[in-house]
């Protein structure tokens, strides 16, 4: 442990000097002046910093497993989002619910296309605001179980819908549990895994999006040649394959030890830590002490968490970062990926080839997600976000140029290929790293609330952007096709500038260190170089 202690500016000799601890802004807390507990907390935090990636995986396989299970709940939102994107390109669906446009055939009117995309997000907007208070009361496990039960029921509305209006209503109700899933999954995953695994495990959220898109792409491609209502009803029915198995698994999952400590249930928290990988009693006790220390520091600063706390003091800065990072997912190529099949059609590809290309695109996104684990281990969060945004910004401008020149078969294929590459870059950089950043930025005390409000910011940005994307691509709208690259390239540039000045580097930082950095109001570009003493309890 000596090397770790020296790294954080302390030694074993002075580590538990009670007088020094009291001078470090302890607020006379019984927890923070308990010498034995503080010694265990120091050892636990040092172990987190010194642990390597593969060592963490070997010691915490169940933590990785449960993090993946909770992140996999996102597959339902992904499935439905991509399903709607494929429906508007599905011939029998367009023929039943669309209007005939000279030169383009049957197409879903822009207002209904936007409504299909936006309805689920409106429901999710409600869900993310409910998620924080409910989770603070029930915990991540029971909140997710209740959301999965509700999800099972709401699928019936969409499956039996016989009009676009009924389908929109069904999507709205389905969106409510999505809000719970997307708010809780990154928070739960970041709380149960060691520090070195936070990046990889929270990045699996983006992989769940890719898995959902692969299933949708395969299902809609398989039923694309049907000429009856089952071309879209069977894919809708496939939504039922997810909630019940996930509900059973989540029932057996351990609760987040951080949540249990905040509720004063230390014995249950210790058992949860041991289930997640800390088989050694001494090691588990050190991890428990580290968590108690951080929770006590935050409790001294605020007390019971409320939504208003998100805009008070230094938590306002953290909330703004979380909201901007989530909202930025809509501005750097993501909406092209979400409407890939329809985009390929508007770029000049045949309907059948568009579905084939969408399946390829979804598989490539999955590969990019897997690659993001290694990127996250080698590079910082800030570095990945800035370079990923800059790359997509450039590609989007090139896409616009390709759509602006005289159109032929070559330019059509160029636009389609650029759409695939933009989706690939997003899935390997911006998409997954955003989930990591939002999970690490908020304080432990406010995490359930912060991730919910951050996701609400995503929906506030996405709902009008979906309308804009549909308007740009739809033949009944502006019919811009690849020229939309100019618009998204411009918005990506704004995201890059904002991130350059305001996005801090939180890789290898414990939650205690993150609290201190924000409390000291350290500039974003100096987070990486600032040294935090192991004994600081600000």
């Amino acid at each position: 442990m000596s090397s770790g202690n020296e790294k954080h500016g302390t030694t074993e000799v002075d580590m538990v000097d009670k007088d020094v601890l009291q001078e470090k802004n302890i607020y006379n807390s019984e927890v923070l002046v308990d010498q034995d507990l503080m010694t265990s907390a120091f050892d636990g935090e040092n172990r987190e910093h010194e642990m390597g990636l593969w060592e963490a995986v070997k010691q915490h396989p169940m933590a990785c497993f449960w993090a993946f299970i909770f992140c996999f709940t996102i597959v339902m939102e992904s499935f439905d989002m991509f399903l709607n994107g494929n429906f508007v390109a599905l011939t029998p669906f367009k023929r039943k619910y669309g209007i005939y446009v000279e030169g383009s055939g049957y197409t879903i009117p822009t207002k209904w296309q936007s409504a299909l995309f936006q309805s689920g997000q409106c429901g999710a907007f409600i869900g993310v605001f409910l998620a924080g208070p409910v989770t603070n009361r029930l915990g991540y496990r029971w909140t997710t179980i209740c959301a999965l039960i509700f999800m099972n029921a709401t699928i019936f509305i969409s499956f039996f819908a016989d009009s676009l209006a009924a389908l929109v209503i069904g999507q709205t109700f389905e969106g409510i549990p999505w809000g719970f899933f997307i708010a809780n999954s990154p928070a739960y995953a970041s709380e149960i895994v060691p520090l070195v695994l936070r990046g990889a495990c929270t990045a699996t959220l983006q992989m769940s999006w890719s898995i959902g898109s692969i299933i949708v792409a395969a299902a809609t491609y398989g039923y694309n040649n049907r000429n009856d209502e089952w071309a879209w009803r069977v894919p809708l029915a496939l939504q039922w394959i997810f909630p019940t198995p996930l509900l059973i698994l989540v029932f057996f999952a351990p609760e987040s030890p951080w949540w249990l400590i905040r509720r004063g249930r230390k014995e249950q928290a210790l058992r949860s830590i041991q289930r997640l990988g800390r088989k050694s009693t001494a090691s588990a006790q050190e991890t428990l002490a580290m968590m108690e220390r951080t929770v006590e520091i935050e409790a001294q600063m605020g007390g019971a968490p409320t939504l208003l706390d998100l805009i008070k003091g230094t938590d306002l800065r953290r909330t703004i970062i979380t909201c901007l990072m989530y909202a930025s997912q809509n501005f750097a190529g993501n909406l092209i990926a979400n409407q890939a099949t329809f985009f390929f059609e508007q770029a000049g590809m045949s309907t059948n080839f568009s579905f084939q290309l969408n399946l390829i695109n979804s598989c490539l996104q999955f590969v990019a997600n897997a690659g993001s684990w290694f990127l996250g281990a080698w590079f910082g969060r800030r570095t990945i976000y800035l370079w990923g945004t800059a790359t997509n910004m450039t590609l989007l401008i090139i896409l616009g140029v390709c759509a602006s020149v005289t159109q032929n078969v070559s330019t059509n294929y160029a636009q389609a290929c650029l759409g695939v590459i933009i989706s690939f870059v997003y899935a390997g950089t911006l998409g997954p790293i955003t989930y990591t950043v939002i999970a690490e930025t908020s304080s432990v005390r406010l995490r359930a609330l912060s991730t919910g409000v951050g996701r609400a910011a995503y929906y506030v940005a996405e709902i009008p952007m979906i309308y804009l994307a549909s308007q740009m691509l739809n033949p009944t709208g502006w019919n811009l096709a690849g020229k939309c690259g100019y618009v998204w390239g411009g918005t990506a540039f704004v995201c890059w500038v904002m991130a350059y000045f305001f996005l801090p580097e939180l890789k290898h930082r414990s939650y205690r260190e993150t609290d201190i950095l924000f409390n000291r109001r350290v500039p974003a570009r100096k987070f990486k170089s600032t040294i935090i003493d192991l004994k600081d309890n600000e």
Side-chain angles (χ1 to χ4, degrees), residues 410-483:
S410 298
T411 57
N412 290 345
Y413 276 102
Q415 289 179 65
C417 290
L418 282 167
V420 171
I421 296 170
I422 289 166
S423 299
F424 182 84
V425 172
Y426 177 87
T429 55
L430 286 76
I433 211 63
T434 296
Y435 292 114
T436 302
V437 170
I438 62 100
E440 292 178 334
T441 301
S442 58
S443 63
V444 174
R445 185 175 70 94
L446 298 175
R447 181 159 297 130
L449 296 171
S450 180
T451 53
V453 170
R455 190 63 180 182
Y458 169 89
Y459 294 128
V460 167
E462 185 187 39
I463 290 169
M465 288 304 103
I466 286 175
Y467 175 78
L468 179 63
S470 300
Q471 188 72 17
M472 287 192 291
L473 290 179
N474 203 299
T476 64
W478 301 335
N479 198 25
L480 294 181
K483 293 176 186 176

Side-chain angles (χ1 to χ4, degrees), residues 58-126:
K58 288 187 290 185
Q59 289 187 13
H60 302 83
M62 293 310 297
C64 296
F65 173 75
W66 292 120
F68 176 78
I69 292 300
F70 270 76
C71 288
F72 195 75
T73 58
I74 306 303
V75 78
M76 285 174 283
E77 180 177 4
S78 165
F79 186 98
D80 221 55
M81 276 294 296
F82 287 107
L83 194 61
N84 286 328
N86 281 271
F87 280 170
V88 298
L90 201 62
T91 300
F93 188 84
K94 290 190 291 185
R95 192 166 53 244
K96 181 173 177 61
Y97 297 119
I99 59 174
Y100 188 80
V101 177
E102 193 67 36
S104 299
Y106 283 96
T107 188
I108 303 298
T110 301
K111 65 175 184 179
W112 283 111
Q113 183 174 323
S114 298
L116 283 171
F117 292 143
Q118 293 171 339
S119 54
Q121 314 314 102
C122 291
F125 183 80
I126 297 170

